[in-house]
Amino acid sequence: VGKSLGPILLLAAVGLCSAADFDLLSAPWTPFHANFSLNLDLVPTLAQMHKRFGVTTVWVAGCMGQWPQLSTAERADLITIWAKEGKAQSLFTICHVGSNDLEEAVELAHHAEQVGCSAIGVIAPSYPGPPSSNQALVQSLKIVADATSLPFYYYHIPAVTRISVPLVETVAAAQAVIPTFAGIKYVEDNIETFRNISAGNLKIFWAANPKLKAMPFGATRFVLAQGYLAPYLLKAANAFAAGDNTEAAHWSDAWDNVMTATRLGDTRCVDKMLGADNGPPRLPLQEVTKEQYDAVHAALEALDFFKIVPTK
């Protein structure tokens, strides 16, 4: 049953997960013109495309969105257009406002509320080093959360922030002082911690692959990163919920095959194949070559990708 999911799926019991209301979070790339200026005109197309794929939540201007390479004004402009277009497509729009500069984060949080974002997301300040204690971490998060009445989502990505404080401790302390604390974008492969923080009323978006790994433990919210993977996850998740582990593993393996194909170039260029040209990324990322683009397209075509993912 699948490449590595047999033991995991054998743990599952029908009823642990409902087929209804899976919440799929995508982190859109920030679109640029050929001269690397923001291409805000593409955002309506991106929002429509994510809705078409089956995405329900977007995380705007996060790591995929190259937030460290954007000015404060550019981030504000991006938040403004996504708030409008996300609402138009009934997407829950979490606008990432985190920064190593807490004043910038507070300014962007105010702006996100003014323009109608659904929620704010915050990565902890971590450069040149992570917070020195759980108290410092939570205090930093609280400063930004208190700037707005919007739901607050913590971006937990220790591989980037190098934060070593146990997340369970951070959650307990944050819930005590941040009344708007609503959920976590959980980018860590740790089932035990996931189970502990899922026991309350927070909305936890699981990111690690394979996604099916977390389903026997109640996960129904997932980080896709790339929106075009939504059809694969929905097919896997619904099969799992129906008790069809073989079908669930099939679609999980199909997801892996797509990810392998995109490594021939990058994931940004796939949006172009589906009708949304994000343009070149800003350095230090580099645009794929024509040869890489063609290799990714051919590999995806061999996987019937363009028959599975809706293009219109």
Side-chain angles (χ1 to χ4, degrees), residues 69-146:
Q69 283 74 49
L70 302 176
S71 69
T72 305
E74 287 175 325
R75 293 178 72 183
D77 287 344
L78 196 61
I79 286 170
T80 298
I81 187 67
W82 265 107
K84 176 185 176 183
E85 298 303 328
K87 184 176 182 180
Q89 298 299 323
S90 299
L91 296 169
F92 190 80
T93 306
I94 304 174
C95 291
H96 174 251
V97 302
S99 174
N100 287 306
D101 178 355
L102 289 177
E103 288 188 8
E104 179 188 40
V106 166
E107 178 183 340
L108 289 170
H110 280 305
H111 180 75
E113 184 163 35
Q114 290 170 355
V115 299
C117 291
S118 308
I120 58 169
V122 175
I123 193 171
S126 57
Y127 184 83
S132 57
S133 67
N134 193 45
Q135 180 182 8
L137 170 57
V138 173
Q139 184 178 2
S140 299
L141 300 178
K142 176 175 169 56
I143 287 172
V144 185
D146 285 351

Coordinates of all heavy atoms in Angstrom, one line a residue, residues 69-146:
Q69 N 12.5 39.6 0.6 CA 12.9 40.3 -0.5 C 12.0 41.5 -0.9 O 12.2 42.1 -1.9 CB 13.1 39.4 -1.7 CG 14.4 38.6 -1.7 CD 14.3 37.4 -0.7 OE1 13.4 36.7 -0.7 NE2 15.4 37.3 0.1
L70 N 10.9 41.7 -0.1 CA 10.0 42.7 -0.4 C 10.1 43.9 0.6 O 10.4 43.7 1.8 CB 8.5 42.2 -0.2 CG 8.2 41.0 -1.1 CD1 6.7 40.5 -0.8 CD2 8.3 41.3 -2.6
S71 N 9.9 45.1 0.1 CA 9.9 46.3 1.0 C 8.6 46.3 1.8 O 7.6 45.6 1.5 CB 10.0 47.6 0.2 OG 8.8 47.8 -0.5
T72 N 8.5 47.1 2.9 CA 7.3 47.2 3.6 C 6.2 47.7 2.8 O 5.0 47.2 2.8 CB 7.5 48.2 4.8 OG1 8.6 47.8 5.6 CG2 6.3 48.3 5.7
A73 N 6.4 48.7 1.9 CA 5.4 49.2 1.0 C 4.9 48.1 0.1 O 3.7 48.0 -0.2 CB 5.9 50.4 0.2
E74 N 5.8 47.3 -0.5 CA 5.4 46.2 -1.4 C 4.6 45.2 -0.7 O 3.6 44.6 -1.2 CB 6.7 45.6 -2.0 CG 7.3 46.4 -3.0 CD 8.6 45.8 -3.5 OE1 9.3 45.2 -2.7 OE2 8.9 46.0 -4.7
R75 N 5.0 44.8 0.6 CA 4.2 43.9 1.3 C 2.8 44.4 1.6 O 1.8 43.6 1.5 CB 4.9 43.5 2.6 CG 6.2 42.8 2.5 CD 6.9 42.5 3.8 NE 6.2 41.5 4.6 CZ 6.5 41.1 5.8 NH1 7.6 41.7 6.4 NH2 5.8 40.2 6.4
A76 N 2.7 45.7 1.9 CA 1.4 46.3 2.1 C 0.5 46.2 0.9 O -0.7 45.9 0.9 CB 1.5 47.7 2.6
D77 N 1.1 46.5 -0.3 CA 0.4 46.5 -1.6 C -0.1 45.1 -1.9 O -1.2 44.9 -2.3 CB 1.3 47.0 -2.7 CG 1.5 48.5 -2.6 OD1 0.7 49.2 -1.9 OD2 2.4 49.0 -3.3
L78 N 0.8 44.1 -1.6 CA 0.4 42.7 -1.9 C -0.7 42.3 -0.9 O -1.7 41.6 -1.3 CB 1.6 41.8 -1.6 CG 1.6 40.4 -2.2 CD1 1.4 40.4 -3.7 CD2 2.9 39.7 -1.8
I79 N -0.7 42.7 0.3 CA -1.7 42.4 1.3 C -3.1 43.0 0.8 O -4.1 42.3 0.9 CB -1.3 42.9 2.7 CG1 -0.2 42.0 3.3 CG2 -2.5 43.0 3.6 CD1 0.4 42.5 4.6
T80 N -3.0 44.2 0.4 CA -4.2 44.9 -0.1 C -4.9 44.2 -1.2 O -6.1 43.9 -1.1 CB -3.9 46.3 -0.5 OG1 -3.3 47.1 0.6 CG2 -5.1 47.1 -1.0
I81 N -4.2 43.8 -2.2 CA -4.8 43.2 -3.4 C -5.3 41.7 -3.0 O -6.4 41.3 -3.5 CB -3.9 43.2 -4.6 CG1 -4.6 42.6 -5.8 CG2 -2.6 42.4 -4.3 CD1 -5.7 43.6 -6.3
W82 N -4.5 41.0 -2.2 CA -5.0 39.7 -1.8 C -6.2 39.7 -0.9 O -7.0 38.8 -1.0 CB -3.8 38.9 -1.2 CG -3.1 38.1 -2.2 CD1 -1.8 38.3 -2.7 CD2 -3.6 36.8 -2.8 NE1 -1.5 37.3 -3.6 CE2 -2.5 36.4 -3.7 CE3 -4.7 36.1 -2.7 CZ2 -2.7 35.2 -4.4 CZ3 -4.9 35.0 -3.5 CH2 -3.8 34.5 -4.3
A83 N -6.3 40.7 -0.1 CA -7.5 40.8 0.8 C -8.7 41.0 -0.1 O -9.8 40.3 0.2 CB -7.3 42.0 1.7
K84 N -8.6 41.8 -1.1 CA -9.7 42.0 -2.0 C -10.0 40.7 -2.8 O -11.2 40.3 -2.9 CB -9.4 43.2 -2.9 CG -10.5 43.4 -4.0 CD -10.1 44.5 -4.9 CE -11.2 44.7 -6.0 NZ -10.7 45.7 -7.0
E85 N -9.0 40.2 -3.5 CA -9.3 39.1 -4.4 C -9.5 37.8 -3.7 O -10.3 36.9 -4.1 CB -8.1 38.9 -5.3 CG -7.8 40.2 -6.2 CD -9.0 40.5 -7.1 OE1 -9.8 39.6 -7.5 OE2 -9.2 41.7 -7.3
G86 N -8.9 37.6 -2.5 CA -9.2 36.4 -1.7 C -10.7 36.4 -1.3 O -11.4 35.4 -1.3
K87 N -11.2 37.6 -0.8 CA -12.6 37.7 -0.4 C -13.5 37.4 -1.6 O -14.5 36.7 -1.5 CB -12.9 39.1 0.1 CG -14.3 39.3 0.6 CD -14.4 40.7 1.3 CE -15.9 40.8 1.8 NZ -16.0 42.2 2.4
A88 N -13.1 37.9 -2.8 CA -13.9 37.7 -4.0 C -14.1 36.2 -4.3 O -15.1 35.8 -4.9 CB -13.3 38.5 -5.2
Q89 N -13.1 35.4 -4.0 CA -13.1 34.0 -4.3 C -13.4 33.1 -3.0 O -13.3 31.9 -3.1 CB -11.7 33.6 -4.8 CG -11.3 34.2 -6.1 CD -12.3 33.9 -7.2 OE1 -12.8 32.8 -7.3 NE2 -12.5 34.9 -8.1
S90 N -13.9 33.8 -2.0 CA -14.3 33.1 -0.7 C -13.1 32.3 -0.2 O -13.3 31.2 0.4 CB -15.5 32.2 -1.0 OG -16.6 32.9 -1.4
L91 N -11.9 32.9 -0.3 CA -10.7 32.2 0.3 C -10.4 32.9 1.6 O -10.5 34.1 1.8 CB -9.5 32.4 -0.6 CG -9.6 31.8 -2.0 CD1 -8.4 32.3 -2.9 CD2 -9.5 30.2 -1.9
F92 N -10.1 32.1 2.7 CA -9.7 32.6 3.9 C -8.3 33.1 3.8 O -7.4 32.3 3.5 CB -9.8 31.5 5.0 CG -9.6 32.1 6.4 CD1 -10.7 32.7 7.1 CD2 -8.4 31.9 7.1 CE1 -10.5 33.1 8.4 CE2 -8.2 32.4 8.4 CZ -9.3 33.0 9.0
T93 N -8.1 34.4 3.9 CA -6.8 35.0 3.5 C -6.0 35.4 4.8 O -6.3 36.4 5.4 CB -7.0 36.3 2.6 OG1 -7.9 35.9 1.5 CG2 -5.7 36.8 2.1
I94 N -5.0 34.6 5.0 CA -4.1 34.9 6.2 C -2.9 35.7 5.6 O -2.1 35.2 4.8 CB -3.6 33.6 6.8 CG1 -4.7 32.8 7.3 CG2 -2.7 34.0 8.0 CD1 -4.3 31.4 7.9
C95 N -2.7 36.9 6.0 CA -1.6 37.8 5.5 C -0.5 37.7 6.4 O -0.6 38.1 7.6 CB -2.1 39.2 5.2 SG -3.3 39.3 3.9
H96 N 0.7 37.3 5.9 CA 1.8 37.2 6.8 C 2.4 38.5 7.0 O 2.8 39.2 6.0 CB 2.9 36.2 6.2 CG 4.2 36.2 6.9 ND1 5.3 36.8 6.4 CD2 4.5 35.7 8.2 CE1 6.3 36.6 7.3 NE2 5.8 36.0 8.4
V97 N 2.6 38.9 8.3 CA 3.2 40.3 8.6 C 4.4 40.2 9.4 O 5.0 41.2 9.8 CB 2.1 41.1 9.3 CG1 0.8 41.3 8.5 CG2 1.8 40.5 10.7
G98 N 4.9 39.0 9.7 CA 6.1 38.8 10.5 C 7.3 39.5 9.9 O 7.5 39.6 8.7
S99 N 8.2 39.8 10.9 CA 9.4 40.5 10.5 C 10.4 40.5 11.6 O 10.0 40.4 12.8 CB 9.1 42.0 10.1 OG 10.3 42.7 9.9
N100 N 11.7 40.7 11.3 CA 12.7 40.8 12.4 C 12.6 42.2 13.0 O 13.1 42.4 14.1 CB 14.1 40.7 11.8 CG 14.4 39.2 11.5 OD1 14.3 38.3 12.3 ND2 14.8 38.9 10.2
D101 N 11.9 43.1 12.3 CA 11.6 44.4 12.8 C 10.1 44.4 13.3 O 9.2 44.5 12.5 CB 11.8 45.5 11.7 CG 11.4 46.9 12.1 OD1 11.0 47.1 13.3 OD2 11.6 47.8 11.3
L102 N 9.9 44.4 14.6 CA 8.6 44.3 15.2 C 7.7 45.6 14.8 O 6.5 45.5 14.7 CB 8.6 44.1 16.7 CG 9.1 42.7 17.2 CD1 9.2 42.7 18.7 CD2 8.2 41.6 16.6
E103 N 8.4 46.7 14.7 CA 7.6 47.9 14.3 C 7.0 47.7 12.9 O 5.9 48.1 12.6 CB 8.5 49.1 14.3 CG 8.8 49.6 15.7 CD 9.5 51.0 15.7 OE1 9.6 51.6 14.7 OE2 10.0 51.4 16.8
E104 N 7.8 47.1 12.0 CA 7.3 46.8 10.7 C 6.1 45.8 10.8 O 5.1 46.0 10.1 CB 8.4 46.2 9.8 CG 7.9 45.9 8.4 CD 8.9 45.1 7.5 OE1 9.6 44.3 8.0 OE2 8.9 45.4 6.3
A105 N 6.3 44.8 11.6 CA 5.2 43.8 11.7 C 3.9 44.4 12.3 O 2.8 44.1 11.8 CB 5.7 42.7 12.7
V106 N 4.1 45.3 13.2 CA 2.9 46.0 13.8 C 2.2 46.8 12.7 O 1.0 46.9 12.6 CB 3.3 46.8 15.0 CG1 2.2 47.8 15.4 CG2 3.6 45.9 16.2
E107 N 3.0 47.6 12.0 CA 2.5 48.4 10.9 C 1.7 47.6 9.9 O 0.6 48.0 9.4 CB 3.6 49.1 10.2 CG 3.2 50.0 9.0 CD 4.4 50.7 8.3 OE1 5.5 50.7 8.9 OE2 4.3 51.1 7.1
L108 N 2.3 46.4 9.5 CA 1.6 45.6 8.5 C 0.4 44.9 9.1 O -0.6 44.7 8.4 CB 2.6 44.5 8.0 CG 3.7 45.1 7.1 CD1 4.7 44.0 6.8 CD2 3.1 45.6 5.7
A109 N 0.4 44.6 10.4 CA -0.8 44.1 11.0 C -1.9 45.1 11.0 O -3.1 44.7 10.7 CB -0.5 43.6 12.4
H110 N -1.7 46.3 11.4 CA -2.7 47.4 11.3 C -3.2 47.4 9.9 O -4.5 47.5 9.7 CB -2.0 48.7 11.6 CG -1.9 49.0 13.1 ND1 -2.9 48.9 14.0 CD2 -0.8 49.3 13.8 CE1 -2.5 49.2 15.2 NE2 -1.2 49.4 15.1
H111 N -2.4 47.4 8.9 CA -2.8 47.5 7.5 C -3.6 46.4 7.1 O -4.7 46.5 6.4 CB -1.5 47.6 6.6 CG -1.9 47.7 5.1 ND1 -2.3 48.9 4.6 CD2 -1.8 46.8 4.1 CE1 -2.6 48.7 3.3 NE2 -2.3 47.5 3.0
A112 N -3.3 45.2 7.5 CA -4.0 44.0 7.1 C -5.5 44.1 7.7 O -6.4 43.7 7.0 CB -3.4 42.7 7.7
E113 N -5.6 44.6 8.8 CA -7.0 44.8 9.4 C -7.8 45.8 8.6 O -8.9 45.7 8.3 CB -6.9 45.1 10.9 CG -8.3 45.2 11.5 CD -8.2 45.2 13.0 OE1 -7.3 45.7 13.6 OE2 -9.2 44.6 13.6
Q114 N -7.1 46.9 8.3 CA -7.8 48.0 7.6 C -8.3 47.6 6.2 O -9.3 48.1 5.8 CB -6.8 49.2 7.4 CG -6.5 49.9 8.8 CD -5.3 50.9 8.6 OE1 -4.7 51.0 7.6 NE2 -5.1 51.6 9.7
V115 N -7.5 46.7 5.5 CA -7.9 46.4 4.2 C -8.8 45.1 4.1 O -9.2 44.7 3.0 CB -6.7 46.2 3.2 CG1 -5.9 47.5 3.2 CG2 -5.8 45.1 3.7
G116 N -9.1 44.5 5.2 CA -10.0 43.4 5.3 C -9.5 42.0 5.2 O -10.2 41.1 4.7
C117 N -8.3 41.8 5.6 CA -7.7 40.4 5.6 C -8.5 39.5 6.6 O -9.1 40.0 7.6 CB -6.3 40.4 6.0 SG -5.2 41.1 4.8
S118 N -8.5 38.2 6.4 CA -9.2 37.3 7.3 C -8.5 37.1 8.6 O -9.1 37.0 9.7 CB -9.4 36.0 6.6 OG -10.0 36.1 5.4
A119 N -7.2 37.2 8.5 CA -6.3 36.9 9.7 C -4.9 37.4 9.4 O -4.6 37.7 8.2 CB -6.3 35.4 10.0
I120 N -4.1 37.4 10.4 CA -2.6 37.7 10.2 C -1.8 36.4 10.6 O -2.2 35.7 11.5 CB -2.1 38.9 11.0 CG1 -2.4 38.7 12.5 CG2 -2.8 40.2 10.5 CD1 -1.6 39.8 13.4
G121 N -0.7 36.3 9.9 CA 0.2 35.2 10.3 C 1.6 35.8 10.6 O 1.9 36.9 10.1
V122 N 2.3 35.2 11.6 CA 3.5 35.8 12.1 C 4.6 34.8 12.3 O 4.4 33.8 13.0 CB 3.3 36.6 13.4 CG1 4.6 37.1 13.9 CG2 2.3 37.7 13.2
I123 N 5.7 35.0 11.6 CA 6.9 34.2 11.9 C 7.7 35.0 13.0 O 7.7 36.2 13.0 CB 7.8 34.0 10.6 CG1 8.9 32.9 10.9 CG2 8.4 35.3 10.2 CD1 9.6 32.6 9.6
A124 N 8.3 34.3 13.9 CA 9.0 34.9 15.0 C 10.2 35.6 14.5 O 10.9 35.1 13.6 CB 9.4 33.9 16.1
P125 N 10.6 36.8 15.0 CA 11.9 37.4 14.7 C 13.0 36.5 15.1 O 13.0 35.9 16.2 CB 11.9 38.7 15.5 CG 10.9 38.5 16.6 CD 9.9 37.6 16.0
S126 N 13.9 36.2 14.1 CA 14.9 35.2 14.4 C 16.3 35.5 13.9 O 17.2 34.6 13.9 CB 14.4 33.8 13.9 OG 14.2 33.9 12.5
Y127 N 16.5 36.7 13.4 CA 17.9 37.0 12.9 C 18.4 38.2 13.6 O 17.7 39.2 13.8 CB 17.8 37.3 11.4 CG 19.2 37.6 10.8 CD1 20.0 36.5 10.4 CD2 19.7 38.9 10.7 CE1 21.3 36.8 9.9 CE2 20.9 39.1 10.2 CZ 21.7 38.1 9.8 OH 23.0 38.3 9.3
P128 N 19.6 38.2 14.1 CA 20.7 37.2 13.8 C 20.6 35.9 14.6 O 21.4 35.0 14.3 CB 22.0 37.9 14.1 CG 21.6 38.9 15.2 CD 20.2 39.3 14.8
G129 N 19.7 35.9 15.5 CA 19.5 34.6 16.3 C 18.1 34.5 16.8 O 17.4 35.5 16.8
P130 N 17.6 33.3 17.2 CA 16.3 33.1 17.6 C 16.1 33.8 19.0 O 17.1 34.1 19.7 CB 16.1 31.6 17.7 CG 17.5 31.1 17.9 CD 18.4 32.1 17.2
P131 N 14.8 34.0 19.4 CA 14.6 34.5 20.8 C 15.3 33.6 21.8 O 15.4 32.4 21.7 CB 13.0 34.3 20.9 CG 12.5 34.4 19.5 CD 13.6 33.7 18.7
S132 N 15.8 34.3 22.8 CA 16.6 33.6 23.8 C 15.8 32.8 24.8 O 16.4 32.0 25.6 CB 17.5 34.7 24.6 OG 16.6 35.7 25.2
S133 N 14.5 33.0 24.9 CA 13.7 32.2 25.8 C 12.3 32.2 25.3 O 11.9 32.9 24.4 CB 13.7 32.9 27.2 OG 13.1 34.1 27.1
N134 N 11.5 31.3 25.9 CA 10.1 31.2 25.5 C 9.4 32.5 25.9 O 8.5 33.0 25.1 CB 9.4 30.0 26.3 CG 8.0 29.7 25.7 OD1 7.9 29.7 24.5 ND2 7.1 29.6 26.6
Q135 N 9.8 33.2 27.0 CA 9.2 34.4 27.3 C 9.4 35.5 26.3 O 8.5 36.2 25.9 CB 9.8 34.9 28.7 CG 9.2 36.2 29.2 CD 9.8 36.7 30.5 OE1 10.8 36.1 31.0 NE2 9.3 37.7 31.1
A136 N 10.7 35.6 25.8 CA 11.0 36.5 24.7 C 10.2 36.2 23.4 O 9.8 37.2 22.7 CB 12.5 36.5 24.5
L137 N 10.1 35.0 23.1 CA 9.4 34.6 21.9 C 7.9 35.0 22.0 O 7.4 35.6 21.1 CB 9.5 33.0 21.7 CG 8.6 32.4 20.7 CD1 8.8 33.0 19.3 CD2 8.8 30.9 20.6
V138 N 7.3 34.6 23.1 CA 5.8 34.9 23.3 C 5.6 36.4 23.3 O 4.6 37.0 22.8 CB 5.3 34.2 24.5 CG1 3.8 34.7 24.8 CG2 5.3 32.7 24.3
Q139 N 6.5 37.2 24.0 CA 6.4 38.6 24.1 C 6.4 39.2 22.7 O 5.7 40.2 22.4 CB 7.5 39.2 25.0 CG 7.3 40.7 25.2 CD 8.4 41.2 26.1 OE1 9.3 40.5 26.6 NE2 8.4 42.5 26.4
S140 N 7.3 38.7 21.9 CA 7.4 39.2 20.5 C 6.2 39.0 19.7 O 5.7 39.9 19.0 CB 8.6 38.5 19.8 OG 9.8 38.8 20.4
L141 N 5.6 37.8 19.8 CA 4.4 37.5 19.2 C 3.2 38.3 19.7 O 2.4 38.8 18.9 CB 4.0 36.0 19.3 CG 5.1 35.0 18.8 CD1 4.6 33.5 19.1 CD2 5.3 35.2 17.3
K142 N 3.2 38.5 21.0 CA 2.1 39.3 21.6 C 2.1 40.7 21.1 O 1.0 41.3 20.8 CB 2.2 39.3 23.1 CG 1.1 40.1 23.8 CD 1.2 39.9 25.3 CE 0.4 40.9 26.1 NZ -1.1 40.9 25.6
I143 N 3.2 41.3 20.9 CA 3.3 42.7 20.4 C 2.6 42.9 19.1 O 1.9 43.8 18.9 CB 4.8 43.2 20.3 CG1 5.4 43.4 21.7 CG2 4.9 44.4 19.5 CD1 6.9 43.6 21.7
V144 N 2.8 41.9 18.2 CA 2.2 42.0 16.9 C 0.7 41.6 17.0 O -0.2 42.3 16.4 CB 2.9 41.0 15.9 CG1 2.3 41.2 14.5 CG2 4.4 41.3 15.9
A145 N 0.4 40.6 17.7 CA -1.0 40.2 17.9 C -1.9 41.3 18.5 O -3.0 41.5 18.1 CB -1.1 38.9 18.7
D146 N -1.3 42.0 19.4 CA -2.1 43.1 20.1 C -2.4 44.3 19.2 O -3.2 45.2 19.6 CB -1.4 43.5 21.4 CG -1.5 42.5 22.5 OD1 -2.3 41.6 22.4 OD2 -0.8 42.7 23.5

